[in-house]
Amino acid sequence: MRLILPALAAALLALPAAAQEARTWANPVDLDYKYNFEQTHQGISYRTGADPVIVPHRDRYVLFQTLADGYWTSENLLDWTYVQPNKWPFESNVAPAAVSDGERLYLMQSAFEPRPLLVSEHPETGHWDWHTRQLPPVPGAVSRGEEGRFTDTGLPEGALPPGPWDPGLFIDDDGKWYLYWGSSNVYPIYGAGIDPTPPVRFVSEPRALGRLHPDEHGWERFGRDHSGGQPDGTAIKPYIEGAWMTKHGGRYYLQYGAPGTEFNAYANGVWVGDDPLGPFEYANYNPISYKPGGFVEGAGHGSTFQDRHGNWWNTGTPWIGHNWTFERRIAMFPGGFTDDGQMHFSSRFGDYPQRMPTGKVDDPDSLFTGWFPLSYKAPAEASSTQGEFTADRATDENPRTFWVAGANRAGETLTLDLGATKRVHAVQVNYADYQSGIYAERPDIRTRFRILWSRDGADWRVFADLSDSERDRPNAYVEGERPVDARFIRYEHGEVAAAHLAISDLRVFGTSDGQPPERPAGVRVERGADQRNATVHIAPVSTALGYNVRWGVAPDRLFLTYQIYADDLRDLGDQLEVRALNTGVDYWFAVEAFSPGGVSPLSRVVAVPARD
């Protein structure tokens, strides 16, 4: 093998200034996700991240999540630095609440009984103080031990479950503080006013603010594609959790996650009101953030924030669930509000590379780079393989299947044949945890590799070199210094701390010289007898890699997307059942096809009225 280093300096000089500044990224967010400790004694080892809260504070963004024993800071939403704090709950943080008053950042953990409220002016230093060593008990809440006595009869009238679990903090424009909480398939989301002056006190009685109605809201049904149950048919009651408040245009948007973190259907919805404690009305355009298809599946339980340019973002929790039910990652989706106040976020091409905006963006979909997964079902060859974990598993766009090398040693390779010379812009290496054997943070947990490219499979050049990396990157996204015209892409292993080298997907993003697919012509939509469902019939487009089924509550508001690859749609008989609709609501549907050659024009928009 012959290596030829590209003339990087000359290439950079040749790029216009705007191109040098336009950096890209892809979901899952490229963090050094931490190994979980909860299944240590069961021998189950995996990295995970969930329930993300991103808070702009002073000159940076701070990202908190579940079970990380720390948090991350960033100045640009691209490069995240892990921070180990001086004070942290012994049981670790689960679904934390965080809020900034502009000068100080406050942090609160989920709890079933009073816990501290932390405060920091400069969280990037890791230094935190006690705002109060112990928050007040929730008025009317029973203890965790008492709750067990009411399993059969339910809590007495006026009593609340132990908490506040899954909290959310909100500071209104008038400086008043509010606390929201709840995570249950029985109880609602609660809210109350609080006085933040130490030691903090409740200034209003907790109110029940909203519940799930899966009989009316299809997306609130649990299970894969809202089936309502486990794969074996066992029924599951949906969970409501992840309260988060956003104020926009003088109105209050109380966000919640449903129907649960397992499977692909996790999403965010909102209730809208004129007061931070309601009453609230269900938004008939729900869910606001939804991603049931693709490599990244799930968008629920997160936060909503504005970046420094005024762009709106929603964060969520995609599901992996191979090693353990709660093996997850973090995703971000751009969006905003319509002139009349409809909240929406885009998952269209939501796990393909996106441009990070450097200014205000009017159309979130314009952030899509136009780069597609050239690696999908590409022939793959590995230097070695362990058992059934063959190389083809690394090109199927499924995070729950993976290639395992015969040995975890430097020099192991995974080589993809793209079938023809194509323009490659970026590569994402998604590692899997297969019997990794790690249960705590260690100094040697880091990811090192190189990505090589070739036109003929003989002469190889360097696309990206992370041989000296000092951080772990379970979902490493690397954009080349310049695009390359390649037929072959090779992962060359350097180092991982886990016992095995395992890669779930080596995703290669770029374009081809082909034309975009033709506009889908045979699109037909049938609303089910159950109004929560609609079946979309799609006549195949010959050159399509996949399709985006898009829908919404107006023909010009097709904000919701279900992405499906063409071969998967064929296996379903060229039809897709969308089970995320609200009863009594009129919808409009359309379909677009895509391939490495581009995106087709949108099909005709089909009206799908509610049934009487």
Side-chain angles (χ1 to χ4, degrees), residues 109-260:
Q109 69 179 103
S110 288
F112 292 114
E113 56 190 11
R115 287 288 190 269
L117 181 64
L118 298 175
V119 63
S120 177
E121 290 192 22
H122 298 283
E124 68 276 11
T125 67
H127 180 78
W128 291 79
D129 294 311
W130 307 113
H131 183 72
T132 180
R133 290 296 297 264
Q134 184 167 290
L135 287 161
V138 174
V142 302
S143 71
R144 198 171 187 184
E146 288 178 297
E147 184 187 22
R149 304 205 321 253
F150 303 109
T151 301
D152 296 329
T153 60
L155 292 176
E157 185 175 354
L160 275 66
W165 193 260
D166 253 12
L169 288 167
F170 171 66
I171 304 175
D172 206 349
D173 299 336
D174 58 7
K176 293 181 179 179
W177 283 51
Y178 298 87
L179 173 65
Y180 306 91
W181 70 95
S183 175
S184 175
N185 62 356
V186 176
Y187 306 116
I189 294 290
Y190 298 96
I194 60 173
D195 179 352
T197 305
V200 182
R201 65 188 179 93
F202 282 85
V203 296
S204 72
E205 290 296 315
R207 297 184 190 176
L209 301 178
R211 296 177 179 270
L212 298 182
H213 293 280
D215 56 324
E216 299 176 3
H217 312 146
W219 71 278
E220 293 178 353
R221 292 174 289 181
F222 215 159
R224 183 161 189 88
D225 288 320
H226 312 290
S227 65
Q230 297 279 10
D232 64 3
T234 302
I236 318 174
K237 289 182 65 176
Y239 279 78
I240 187 170
E241 52 199 0
W244 183 269
M245 177 60 77
T246 301
K247 187 176 184 180
H248 176 75
R251 306 206 76 197
Y252 298 87
Y253 294 76
L254 180 53
Q255 176 180 312
Y256 64 97

Side-chain angles (χ1 to χ4, degrees), residues 11 15 371 422-426 453 455 463 479-486 511:
L15 287 172
W371 306 341
K422 297 176 182 178
R423 178 64 56 91
V424 174
H425 287 266
W453 67 277
R455 292 189 178 92
F463 181 80
E479 181 181 355
E481 295 285 0
R482 61 183 178 88
V484 298
D485 293 326
T511 59

